[in-house]
């Protein structure tokens, strides 16, 4: 009876160690799999195809890697009253960080506190900046006080032309 008790005790210990070895082996496999995935990262590529541009050049001559989507938010501190349109205001947006080589396609919306900011339209644009003008009457002070920000996106080329 004593031998079987010792045998049973060692048997359980052996099974316990085998169990931990299997867990350790499983952890090693998981770690190795994770390292392999990190060495060969999965990349999801999107393709941007620009069908037409505001300036006259052939978009088919520019390869797809030359296209870029750039976006940002222009804060409300820079609102200015228009000198040419009475009662209107505008906000200049700097896109120099996008490094477009030509004028991109630009979309802009405005957000603010209390939904009392005027809609905007894009005018007077270049490859590194644009101005967003209010559609409705709004002063620069109102745009600043209501924290009317311009949320914008631009689609253009960063090489070629």
């Amino acid at each position: 009876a004593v031998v079987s008790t010792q045998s049973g005790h060692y048997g359980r210990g052996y099974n316990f160690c085998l169990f931990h070895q299997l867990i350790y082996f499983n952890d090693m496999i998981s770690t190795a799999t994770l390292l392999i995935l990190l060495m060969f990262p999965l990349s999801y590529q999107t393709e941007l195809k620009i069908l037409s541009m505001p300036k006259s050049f052939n978009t088919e001559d520019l390869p797809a890697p030359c296209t870029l989507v750039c976006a940002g938010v222009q804060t409300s501190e820079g609102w200015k009253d228009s000198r040419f349109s009475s009662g209107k205001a505008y906000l200049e947006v700097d896109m120099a960080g996008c490094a477009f080589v030509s004028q991109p396609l630009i979309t802009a919306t405005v957000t603010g506190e209390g939904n009392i900011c005027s809609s905007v339209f894009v005018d007077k644009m270049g490859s590194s900046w644009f101005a967003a003008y209010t559609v409705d009457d709004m002063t620069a002070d109102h745009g600043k006080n209501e924290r009317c920000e311009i949320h914008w996106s631009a689609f253009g080329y960063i090489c070629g032309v």
Side-chain angles (χ1 to χ4, degrees):
V2 172
V3 172
S4 75
T5 302
Q6 288 177 347
S7 171
H9 173 73
Y10 289 118
R12 269 187 264 124
Y14 175 75
N15 288 340
F16 183 73
C17 288
L18 182 60
F19 177 73
H20 279 310
Q21 286 175 352
L22 287 174
I23 290 175
Y24 177 73
F25 181 71
N26 190 27
D27 286 344
M28 285 177 43
I29 296 286
S30 298
T31 302
T33 304
L34 180 61
L35 287 174
I36 289 170
L37 288 175
L38 290 174
M39 287 172 40
F40 303 103
L42 300 175
S43 64
Y44 297 98
Q45 294 182 342
T46 59
E47 183 176 318
L48 172 64
K49 184 173 186 176
I50 298 174
L51 297 178
S52 61
M53 293 293 287
K55 299 291 181 188
S56 59
F57 64 89
N58 189 358
T59 58
E60 293 176 4
D61 293 339
L62 301 173
C66 285
T67 59
L68 175 72
V69 176
C70 193
V73 176
Q74 183 66 40
T75 59
S76 61
E77 292 85 24
W79 281 104
K80 298 176 186 172
D81 290 317
S82 174
R83 293 180 293 152
F84 304 105
S85 298
S86 179
K88 309 291 187 213
Y90 69 98
L91 188 58
E92 291 179 348
V93 177
D94 179 12
M95 302 183 302
C98 302
F100 290 121
V101 295
S102 63
Q103 178 184 320
L105 301 171
I106 301 167
T107 60
T109 59
V110 64
T111 63
E113 295 181 0
N115 294 326
I116 51 177
C117 298
S118 172
S119 298
V120 294
F121 66 94
V122 175
D123 195 17
K124 296 180 177 44
M125 60 197 94
S127 62
S128 63
W129 68 278
F130 70 90
Y133 285 80
T134 59
V135 173
D136 301 316
D137 286 347
M138 184 180 95
T139 65
D141 286 338
H142 181 84
K144 292 173 188 175
N145 293 338
E146 297 301 322
R147 295 185 175 92
C148 299
E149 298 177 333
I150 303 294
H151 292 234
W152 59 272
S153 56
F155 311 83
Y157 293 100
I158 55 172
C159 59
V161 183

